Amino acid sequence: MQKKFYAIAAASVLALSACSTGGEGASPAGGTTDPGETGYDVSAIKKDDSVAALVPENVKKRDVLRSVSSADYAPAEYFKVDGQTPTGYDIDIANALAKVMGLKEGTTKHTAFDALIPQVGSKYDVSLSSFSITPERESEVNMVSYVQVGSAFGTAKGNPNKFDPKNPCGKTIGVQKGTFQYDYIQDMSKKCLAEGKPKIQIKPHDLQTEISPKVAGKQYDATFADSTVVGYTVKKSNGSIEQIGDVMESAPQGIVISKQDEALTKAVQAGMQKLMDSGELKKILSHYGAQDAGLKKAEVNPSVKK
């Protein structure tokens, strides 16, 4: 995620997310049905005996993987149109993990982002909520890498306004307030001025869903958002929006598990690696237009190893 949260709790450094503000379940360009309304069907995913053997006895006895996320950020985690049921690729991945581990599909619960980590290890077993992997988080919890997310530009299909992602100076770009991209595009605009070029015409919005129709309608030259958000927007736009240029500022995200639960950490790592090797992770991400985000190796606390 690329949203900035400023937590006031003692764990504030851990609550600094990298995601955009949520509530983005509606179609971003008035296009196709939201993929999250059906979700990815994990019913065919089978138990893996080698993974199941790693699952701690208390979890086996409970027969469910208790998961929690902050359902405010499509396409990773957000609410269905009923406003009550979490959906998104993180929710589907949690269900897929449960299946591989030989457990029943759980029901992911929603809570505020800054309350997620304090509840993992007590009320919940894991949290999948687009957590950027940082040394600070890894000092407090275990993190298993599974996706890598960066930033990307999106334009109207065919790029009719001739937007060049390598030279955005003078262009009109829609961006969501409070995001990493909002700060980044302002720095880019300052660089344009320093080089004697016209500044970027930045159009801030509360929601990404407000921006996409303006891009598709050629009012804005481009939008700048998380690469997964752009992929999701492309998938839902019915062909009216496309990604342009490469993904920038890419960084891995991880599943959060209690530092005190090394057994469950190993089971989650093995389960995620199974989903990667079998192609199921990519299939889940593809359902939301995020197929390029999947990693090929599930690592525990990769930042600490570097």
Side-chain angles (χ1 to χ4, degrees), residues 183-203:
D183 291 339
Y184 195 88
I185 204 71
Q186 291 187 82
D187 290 340
M188 292 176 74
S189 185
K190 291 175 183 177
K191 184 179 179 182
C192 290
L193 290 174
E195 294 175 349
K197 300 177 182 179
K199 68 179 183 180
I200 297 171
Q201 299 298 319
I202 301 171
K203 299 295 184 181

mmCIF file with all atom_site columns, all heavy atoms in Angstrom, residues 183-203:
data_model
loop_
_atom_site.group_PDB
_atom_site.id
_atom_site.type_symbol
_atom_site.label_atom_id
_atom_site.label_alt_id
_atom_site.label_comp_id
_atom_site.label_asym_id
_atom_site.label_entity_id
_atom_site.label_seq_id
_atom_site.pdbx_PDB_ins_code
_atom_site.Cartn_x
_atom_site.Cartn_y
_atom_site.Cartn_z
_atom_site.occupancy
_atom_site.B_iso_or_equiv
_atom_site.pdbx_formal_charge
_atom_site.auth_seq_id
_atom_site.auth_comp_id
_atom_site.auth_asym_id
_atom_site.auth_atom_id
_atom_site.pdbx_PDB_model_num
ATOM 1   N N   . ASP A 1 183 ? 2.807  12.846 -2.805  1.00 0.00 ? 183 ASP A N   1
ATOM 2   C CA  . ASP A 1 183 ? 4.060  13.522 -2.449  1.00 0.00 ? 183 ASP A CA  1
ATOM 3   C C   . ASP A 1 183 ? 5.071  13.423 -3.585  1.00 0.00 ? 183 ASP A C   1
ATOM 4   O O   . ASP A 1 183 ? 5.768  14.384 -3.911  1.00 0.00 ? 183 ASP A O   1
ATOM 5   C CB  . ASP A 1 183 ? 4.650  12.906 -1.177  1.00 0.00 ? 183 ASP A CB  1
ATOM 6   C CG  . ASP A 1 183 ? 3.821  13.200 0.059   1.00 0.00 ? 183 ASP A CG  1
ATOM 7   O OD1 . ASP A 1 183 ? 3.038  14.169 0.024   1.00 0.00 ? 183 ASP A OD1 1
ATOM 8   O OD2 . ASP A 1 183 ? 3.948  12.460 1.049   1.00 0.00 ? 183 ASP A OD2 1
ATOM 9   N N   . TYR A 1 184 ? 5.137  12.240 -4.192  1.00 0.00 ? 184 TYR A N   1
ATOM 10  C CA  . TYR A 1 184 ? 6.135  11.989 -5.229  1.00 0.00 ? 184 TYR A CA  1
ATOM 11  C C   . TYR A 1 184 ? 5.897  12.884 -6.452  1.00 0.00 ? 184 TYR A C   1
ATOM 12  O O   . TYR A 1 184 ? 6.848  13.434 -7.025  1.00 0.00 ? 184 TYR A O   1
ATOM 13  C CB  . TYR A 1 184 ? 6.074  10.518 -5.636  1.00 0.00 ? 184 TYR A CB  1
ATOM 14  C CG  . TYR A 1 184 ? 7.262  10.024 -6.429  1.00 0.00 ? 184 TYR A CG  1
ATOM 15  C CD1 . TYR A 1 184 ? 8.387  9.525  -5.785  1.00 0.00 ? 184 TYR A CD1 1
ATOM 16  C CD2 . TYR A 1 184 ? 7.258  10.034 -7.830  1.00 0.00 ? 184 TYR A CD2 1
ATOM 17  C CE1 . TYR A 1 184 ? 9.481  9.055  -6.500  1.00 0.00 ? 184 TYR A CE1 1
ATOM 18  C CE2 . TYR A 1 184 ? 8.348  9.567  -8.551  1.00 0.00 ? 184 TYR A CE2 1
ATOM 19  C CZ  . TYR A 1 184 ? 9.447  9.087  -7.882  1.00 0.00 ? 184 TYR A CZ  1
ATOM 20  O OH  . TYR A 1 184 ? 10.535 8.625  -8.594  1.00 0.00 ? 184 TYR A OH  1
ATOM 21  N N   . ILE A 1 185 ? 4.634  13.053 -6.849  1.00 0.00 ? 185 ILE A N   1
ATOM 22  C CA  . ILE A 1 185 ? 4.341  13.858 -8.033  1.00 0.00 ? 185 ILE A CA  1
ATOM 23  C C   . ILE A 1 185 ? 4.614  15.337 -7.773  1.00 0.00 ? 185 ILE A C   1
ATOM 24  O O   . ILE A 1 185 ? 4.996  16.090 -8.687  1.00 0.00 ? 185 ILE A O   1
ATOM 25  C CB  . ILE A 1 185 ? 2.884  13.637 -8.505  1.00 0.00 ? 185 ILE A CB  1
ATOM 26  C CG1 . ILE A 1 185 ? 2.743  13.958 -10.004 1.00 0.00 ? 185 ILE A CG1 1
ATOM 27  C CG2 . ILE A 1 185 ? 1.895  14.437 -7.698  1.00 0.00 ? 185 ILE A CG2 1
ATOM 28  C CD1 . ILE A 1 185 ? 3.398  12.966 -10.910 1.00 0.00 ? 185 ILE A CD1 1
ATOM 29  N N   . GLN A 1 186 ? 4.469  15.767 -6.512  1.00 0.00 ? 186 GLN A N   1
ATOM 30  C CA  . GLN A 1 186 ? 4.814  17.150 -6.184  1.00 0.00 ? 186 GLN A CA  1
ATOM 31  C C   . GLN A 1 186 ? 6.318  17.377 -6.302  1.00 0.00 ? 186 GLN A C   1
ATOM 32  O O   . GLN A 1 186 ? 6.763  18.426 -6.797  1.00 0.00 ? 186 GLN A O   1
ATOM 33  C CB  . GLN A 1 186 ? 4.325  17.486 -4.771  1.00 0.00 ? 186 GLN A CB  1
ATOM 34  C CG  . GLN A 1 186 ? 2.810  17.565 -4.671  1.00 0.00 ? 186 GLN A CG  1
ATOM 35  C CD  . GLN A 1 186 ? 2.346  18.052 -3.316  1.00 0.00 ? 186 GLN A CD  1
ATOM 36  O OE1 . GLN A 1 186 ? 2.311  19.243 -3.031  1.00 0.00 ? 186 GLN A OE1 1
ATOM 37  N NE2 . GLN A 1 186 ? 2.004  17.111 -2.446  1.00 0.00 ? 186 GLN A NE2 1
ATOM 38  N N   . ASP A 1 187 ? 7.091  16.379 -5.868  1.00 0.00 ? 187 ASP A N   1
ATOM 39  C CA  . ASP A 1 187 ? 8.546  16.485 -6.024  1.00 0.00 ? 187 ASP A CA  1
ATOM 40  C C   . ASP A 1 187 ? 8.940  16.497 -7.496  1.00 0.00 ? 187 ASP A C   1
ATOM 41  O O   . ASP A 1 187 ? 9.858  17.222 -7.900  1.00 0.00 ? 187 ASP A O   1
ATOM 42  C CB  . ASP A 1 187 ? 9.233  15.314 -5.307  1.00 0.00 ? 187 ASP A CB  1
ATOM 43  C CG  . ASP A 1 187 ? 9.145  15.416 -3.794  1.00 0.00 ? 187 ASP A CG  1
ATOM 44  O OD1 . ASP A 1 187 ? 8.915  16.534 -3.292  1.00 0.00 ? 187 ASP A OD1 1
ATOM 45  O OD2 . ASP A 1 187 ? 9.308  14.378 -3.122  1.00 0.00 ? 187 ASP A OD2 1
ATOM 46  N N   . MET A 1 188 ? 8.245  15.701 -8.301  1.00 0.00 ? 188 MET A N   1
ATOM 47  C CA  . MET A 1 188 ? 8.511  15.683 -9.730  1.00 0.00 ? 188 MET A CA  1
ATOM 48  C C   . MET A 1 188 ? 8.210  17.038 -10.361 1.00 0.00 ? 188 MET A C   1
ATOM 49  O O   . MET A 1 188 ? 8.938  17.519 -11.238 1.00 0.00 ? 188 MET A O   1
ATOM 50  C CB  . MET A 1 188 ? 7.688  14.590 -10.415 1.00 0.00 ? 188 MET A CB  1
ATOM 51  C CG  . MET A 1 188 ? 8.095  13.181 -10.048 1.00 0.00 ? 188 MET A CG  1
ATOM 52  S SD  . MET A 1 188 ? 7.032  11.910 -10.795 1.00 0.00 ? 188 MET A SD  1
ATOM 53  C CE  . MET A 1 188 ? 7.598  11.952 -12.485 1.00 0.00 ? 188 MET A CE  1
ATOM 54  N N   . SER A 1 189 ? 7.141  17.667 -9.896  1.00 0.00 ? 189 SER A N   1
ATOM 55  C CA  . SER A 1 189 ? 6.766  18.978 -10.424 1.00 0.00 ? 189 SER A CA  1
ATOM 56  C C   . SER A 1 189 ? 7.816  20.027 -10.070 1.00 0.00 ? 189 SER A C   1
ATOM 57  O O   . SER A 1 189 ? 8.163  20.886 -10.897 1.00 0.00 ? 189 SER A O   1
ATOM 58  C CB  . SER A 1 189 ? 5.396  19.389 -9.872  1.00 0.00 ? 189 SER A CB  1
ATOM 59  O OG  . SER A 1 189 ? 4.966  20.599 -10.459 1.00 0.00 ? 189 SER A OG  1
ATOM 60  N N   . LYS A 1 190 ? 8.340  19.947 -8.848  1.00 0.00 ? 190 LYS A N   1
ATOM 61  C CA  . LYS A 1 190 ? 9.394  20.884 -8.435  1.00 0.00 ? 190 LYS A CA  1
ATOM 62  C C   . LYS A 1 190 ? 10.645 20.691 -9.290  1.00 0.00 ? 190 LYS A C   1
ATOM 63  O O   . LYS A 1 190 ? 11.327 21.666 -9.644  1.00 0.00 ? 190 LYS A O   1
ATOM 64  C CB  . LYS A 1 190 ? 9.729  20.672 -6.957  1.00 0.00 ? 190 LYS A CB  1
ATOM 65  C CG  . LYS A 1 190 ? 8.615  21.094 -6.004  1.00 0.00 ? 190 LYS A CG  1
ATOM 66  C CD  . LYS A 1 190 ? 8.962  20.739 -4.566  1.00 0.00 ? 190 LYS A CD  1
ATOM 67  C CE  . LYS A 1 190 ? 7.821  21.091 -3.626  1.00 0.00 ? 190 LYS A CE  1
ATOM 68  N NZ  . LYS A 1 190 ? 8.116  20.677 -2.219  1.00 0.00 ? 190 LYS A NZ  1
ATOM 69  N N   . LYS A 1 191 ? 10.927 19.451 -9.628  1.00 0.00 ? 191 LYS A N   1
ATOM 70  C CA  . LYS A 1 191 ? 12.084 19.155 -10.483 1.00 0.00 ? 191 LYS A CA  1
ATOM 71  C C   . LYS A 1 191 ? 11.876 19.750 -11.868 1.00 0.00 ? 191 LYS A C   1
ATOM 72  O O   . LYS A 1 191 ? 12.823 20.280 -12.487 1.00 0.00 ? 191 LYS A O   1
ATOM 73  C CB  . LYS A 1 191 ? 12.297 17.651 -10.571 1.00 0.00 ? 191 LYS A CB  1
ATOM 74  C CG  . LYS A 1 191 ? 13.528 17.254 -11.366 1.00 0.00 ? 191 LYS A CG  1
ATOM 75  C CD  . LYS A 1 191 ? 13.721 15.746 -11.403 1.00 0.00 ? 191 LYS A CD  1
ATOM 76  C CE  . LYS A 1 191 ? 14.958 15.376 -12.225 1.00 0.00 ? 191 LYS A CE  1
ATOM 77  N NZ  . LYS A 1 191 ? 15.144 13.901 -12.304 1.00 0.00 ? 191 LYS A NZ  1
ATOM 78  N N   . CYS A 1 192 ? 10.644 19.689 -12.366 1.00 0.00 ? 192 CYS A N   1
ATOM 79  C CA  . CYS A 1 192 ? 10.334 20.287 -13.669 1.00 0.00 ? 192 CYS A CA  1
ATOM 80  C C   . CYS A 1 192 ? 10.661 21.779 -13.659 1.00 0.00 ? 192 CYS A C   1
ATOM 81  O O   . CYS A 1 192 ? 11.314 22.300 -14.573 1.00 0.00 ? 192 CYS A O   1
ATOM 82  C CB  . CYS A 1 192 ? 8.855  20.089 -14.011 1.00 0.00 ? 192 CYS A CB  1
ATOM 83  S SG  . CYS A 1 192 ? 8.393  18.380 -14.401 1.00 0.00 ? 192 CYS A SG  1
ATOM 84  N N   . LEU A 1 193 ? 10.212 22.462 -12.606 1.00 0.00 ? 193 LEU A N   1
ATOM 85  C CA  . LEU A 1 193 ? 10.454 23.911 -12.502 1.00 0.00 ? 193 LEU A CA  1
ATOM 86  C C   . LEU A 1 193 ? 11.938 24.207 -12.398 1.00 0.00 ? 193 LEU A C   1
ATOM 87  O O   . LEU A 1 193 ? 12.434 25.169 -13.004 1.00 0.00 ? 193 LEU A O   1
ATOM 88  C CB  . LEU A 1 193 ? 9.702  24.463 -11.291 1.00 0.00 ? 193 LEU A CB  1
ATOM 89  C CG  . LEU A 1 193 ? 8.172  24.513 -11.395 1.00 0.00 ? 193 LEU A CG  1
ATOM 90  C CD1 . LEU A 1 193 ? 7.560  24.947 -10.068 1.00 0.00 ? 193 LEU A CD1 1
ATOM 91  C CD2 . LEU A 1 193 ? 7.736  25.462 -12.511 1.00 0.00 ? 193 LEU A CD2 1
ATOM 92  N N   . ALA A 1 194 ? 12.658 23.386 -11.642 1.00 0.00 ? 194 ALA A N   1
ATOM 93  C CA  . ALA A 1 194 ? 14.095 23.594 -11.476 1.00 0.00 ? 194 ALA A CA  1
ATOM 94  C C   . ALA A 1 194 ? 14.845 23.427 -12.797 1.00 0.00 ? 194 ALA A C   1
ATOM 95  O O   . ALA A 1 194 ? 15.908 24.026 -12.995 1.00 0.00 ? 194 ALA A O   1
ATOM 96  C CB  . ALA A 1 194 ? 14.651 22.608 -10.440 1.00 0.00 ? 194 ALA A CB  1
ATOM 97  N N   . GLU A 1 195 ? 14.265 22.646 -13.693 1.00 0.00 ? 195 GLU A N   1
ATOM 98  C CA  . GLU A 1 195 ? 14.890 22.427 -15.000 1.00 0.00 ? 195 GLU A CA  1
ATOM 99  C C   . GLU A 1 195 ? 14.374 23.394 -16.064 1.00 0.00 ? 195 GLU A C   1
ATOM 100 O O   . GLU A 1 195 ? 14.694 23.250 -17.245 1.00 0.00 ? 195 GLU A O   1
ATOM 101 C CB  . GLU A 1 195 ? 14.634 20.981 -15.445 1.00 0.00 ? 195 GLU A CB  1
ATOM 102 C CG  . GLU A 1 195 ? 15.312 19.938 -14.565 1.00 0.00 ? 195 GLU A CG  1
ATOM 103 C CD  . GLU A 1 195 ? 14.949 18.518 -14.957 1.00 0.00 ? 195 GLU A CD  1
ATOM 104 O OE1 . GLU A 1 195 ? 14.011 18.350 -15.783 1.00 0.00 ? 195 GLU A OE1 1
ATOM 105 O OE2 . GLU A 1 195 ? 15.593 17.572 -14.452 1.00 0.00 ? 195 GLU A OE2 1
ATOM 106 N N   . GLY A 1 196 ? 13.578 24.363 -15.623 1.00 0.00 ? 196 GLY A N   1
ATOM 107 C CA  . GLY A 1 196 ? 13.056 25.359 -16.550 1.00 0.00 ? 196 GLY A CA  1
ATOM 108 C C   . GLY A 1 196 ? 11.885 24.871 -17.396 1.00 0.00 ? 196 GLY A C   1
ATOM 109 O O   . GLY A 1 196 ? 11.549 25.469 -18.419 1.00 0.00 ? 196 GLY A O   1
ATOM 110 N N   . LYS A 1 197 ? 11.238 23.802 -16.944 1.00 0.00 ? 197 LYS A N   1
ATOM 111 C CA  . LYS A 1 197 ? 10.090 23.247 -17.663 1.00 0.00 ? 197 LYS A CA  1
ATOM 112 C C   . LYS A 1 197 ? 8.794  23.625 -16.936 1.00 0.00 ? 197 LYS A C   1
ATOM 113 O O   . LYS A 1 197 ? 8.819  23.988 -15.755 1.00 0.00 ? 197 LYS A O   1
ATOM 114 C CB  . LYS A 1 197 ? 10.218 21.722 -17.747 1.00 0.00 ? 197 LYS A CB  1
ATOM 115 C CG  . LYS A 1 197 ? 11.461 21.245 -18.475 1.00 0.00 ? 197 LYS A CG  1
ATOM 116 C CD  . LYS A 1 197 ? 11.557 19.724 -18.441 1.00 0.00 ? 197 LYS A CD  1
ATOM 117 C CE  . LYS A 1 197 ? 12.820 19.224 -19.124 1.00 0.00 ? 197 LYS A CE  1
ATOM 118 N NZ  . LYS A 1 197 ? 12.931 17.734 -19.063 1.00 0.00 ? 197 LYS A NZ  1
ATOM 119 N N   . PRO A 1 198 ? 7.647  23.541 -17.595 1.00 0.00 ? 198 PRO A N   1
ATOM 120 C CA  . PRO A 1 198 ? 6.383  23.860 -16.923 1.00 0.00 ? 198 PRO A CA  1
ATOM 121 C C   . PRO A 1 198 ? 6.073  22.856 -15.822 1.00 0.00 ? 198 PRO A C   1
ATOM 122 O O   . PRO A 1 198 ? 6.399  21.670 -15.939 1.00 0.00 ? 198 PRO A O   1
ATOM 123 C CB  . PRO A 1 198 ? 5.353  23.790 -18.048 1.00 0.00 ? 198 PRO A CB  1
ATOM 124 C CG  . PRO A 1 198 ? 5.983  22.932 -19.103 1.00 0.00 ? 198 PRO A CG  1
ATOM 125 C CD  . PRO A 1 198 ? 7.449  23.205 -19.024 1.00 0.00 ? 198 PRO A CD  1
ATOM 126 N N   . LYS A 1 199 ? 5.451  23.326 -14.755 1.00 0.00 ? 199 LYS A N   1
ATOM 127 C CA  . LYS A 1 199 ? 5.107  22.453 -13.642 1.00 0.00 ? 199 LYS A CA  1
ATOM 128 C C   . LYS A 1 199 ? 4.007  21.474 -14.043 1.00 0.00 ? 199 LYS A C   1
ATOM 129 O O   . LYS A 1 199 ? 3.268  21.692 -15.026 1.00 0.00 ? 199 LYS A O   1
ATOM 130 C CB  . LYS A 1 199 ? 4.650  23.269 -12.441 1.00 0.00 ? 199 LYS A CB  1
ATOM 131 C CG  . LYS A 1 199 ? 3.312  23.983 -12.632 1.00 0.00 ? 199 LYS A CG  1
ATOM 132 C CD  . LYS A 1 199 ? 2.926  24.743 -11.375 1.00 0.00 ? 199 LYS A CD  1
ATOM 133 C CE  . LYS A 1 199 ? 1.556  25.410 -11.538 1.00 0.00 ? 199 LYS A CE  1
ATOM 134 N NZ  . LYS A 1 199 ? 1.164  26.159 -10.315 1.00 0.00 ? 199 LYS A NZ  1
ATOM 135 N N   . ILE A 1 200 ? 3.895  20.404 -13.282 1.00 0.00 ? 200 ILE A N   1
ATOM 136 C CA  . ILE A 1 200 ? 2.821  19.437 -13.490 1.00 0.00 ? 200 ILE A CA  1
ATOM 137 C C   . ILE A 1 200 ? 1.530  20.007 -12.910 1.00 0.00 ? 200 ILE A C   1
ATOM 138 O O   . ILE A 1 200 ? 1.518  20.549 -11.804 1.00 0.00 ? 200 ILE A O   1
ATOM 139 C CB  . ILE A 1 200 ? 3.151  18.100 -12.808 1.00 0.00 ? 200 ILE A CB  1
ATOM 140 C CG1 . ILE A 1 200 ? 4.408  17.483 -13.436 1.00 0.00 ? 200 ILE A CG1 1
ATOM 141 C CG2 . ILE A 1 200 ? 1.983  17.126 -12.908 1.00 0.00 ? 200 ILE A CG2 1
ATOM 142 C CD1 . ILE A 1 200 ? 4.933  16.275 -12.686 1.00 0.00 ? 200 ILE A CD1 1
ATOM 143 N N   . GLN A 1 201 ? 0.464  19.906 -13.662 1.00 0.00 ? 201 GLN A N   1
ATOM 144 C CA  . GLN A 1 201 ? -0.846 20.334 -13.171 1.00 0.00 ? 201 GLN A CA  1
ATOM 145 C C   . GLN A 1 201 ? -1.438 19.184 -12.351 1.00 0.00 ? 201 GLN A C   1
ATOM 146 O O   . GLN A 1 201 ? -2.007 18.237 -12.895 1.00 0.00 ? 201 GLN A O   1
ATOM 147 C CB  . GLN A 1 201 ? -1.758 20.696 -14.342 1.00 0.00 ? 201 GLN A CB  1
ATOM 148 C CG  . GLN A 1 201 ? -1.246 21.832 -15.208 1.00 0.00 ? 201 GLN A CG  1
ATOM 149 C CD  . GLN A 1 201 ? -1.118 23.138 -14.424 1.00 0.00 ? 201 GLN A CD  1
ATOM 150 O OE1 . GLN A 1 201 ? -1.987 23.486 -13.607 1.00 0.00 ? 201 GLN A OE1 1
ATOM 151 N NE2 . GLN A 1 201 ? -0.030 23.866 -14.662 1.00 0.00 ? 201 GLN A NE2 1
ATOM 152 N N   . ILE A 1 202 ? -1.246 19.245 -11.026 1.00 0.00 ? 202 ILE A N   1
ATOM 153 C CA  . ILE A 1 202 ? -1.657 18.157 -10.131 1.00 0.00 ? 202 ILE A CA  1
ATOM 154 C C   . ILE A 1 202 ? -3.119 18.337 -9.731  1.00 0.00 ? 202 ILE A C   1
ATOM 155 O O   . ILE A 1 202 ? -3.522 19.397 -9.257  1.00 0.00 ? 202 ILE A O   1
ATOM 156 C CB  . ILE A 1 202 ? -0.766 18.127 -8.881  1.00 0.00 ? 202 ILE A CB  1
ATOM 157 C CG1 . ILE A 1 202 ? 0.702  17.928 -9.289  1.00 0.00 ? 202 ILE A CG1 1
ATOM 158 C CG2 . ILE A 1 202 ? -1.216 17.011 -7.935  1.00 0.00 ? 202 ILE A CG2 1
ATOM 159 C CD1 . ILE A 1 202 ? 1.682  18.111 -8.146  1.00 0.00 ? 202 ILE A CD1 1
ATOM 160 N N   . LYS A 1 203 ? -3.915 17.284 -9.932  1.00 0.00 ? 203 LYS A N   1
ATOM 161 C CA  . LYS A 1 203 ? -5.332 17.311 -9.582  1.00 0.00 ? 203 LYS A CA  1
ATOM 162 C C   . LYS A 1 203 ? -5.590 16.302 -8.452  1.00 0.00 ? 203 LYS A C   1
ATOM 163 O O   . LYS A 1 203 ? -5.761 15.111 -8.690  1.00 0.00 ? 203 LYS A O   1
ATOM 164 C CB  . LYS A 1 203 ? -6.183 16.952 -10.797 1.00 0.00 ? 203 LYS A CB  1
ATOM 165 C CG  . LYS A 1 203 ? -6.023 17.902 -11.984 1.00 0.00 ? 203 LYS A CG  1
ATOM 166 C CD  . LYS A 1 203 ? -6.537 19.298 -11.644 1.00 0.00 ? 203 LYS A CD  1
ATOM 167 C CE  . LYS A 1 203 ? -6.465 20.212 -12.868 1.00 0.00 ? 203 LYS A CE  1
ATOM 168 N NZ  . LYS A 1 203 ? -6.950 21.582 -12.549 1.00 0.00 ? 203 LYS A NZ  1
#
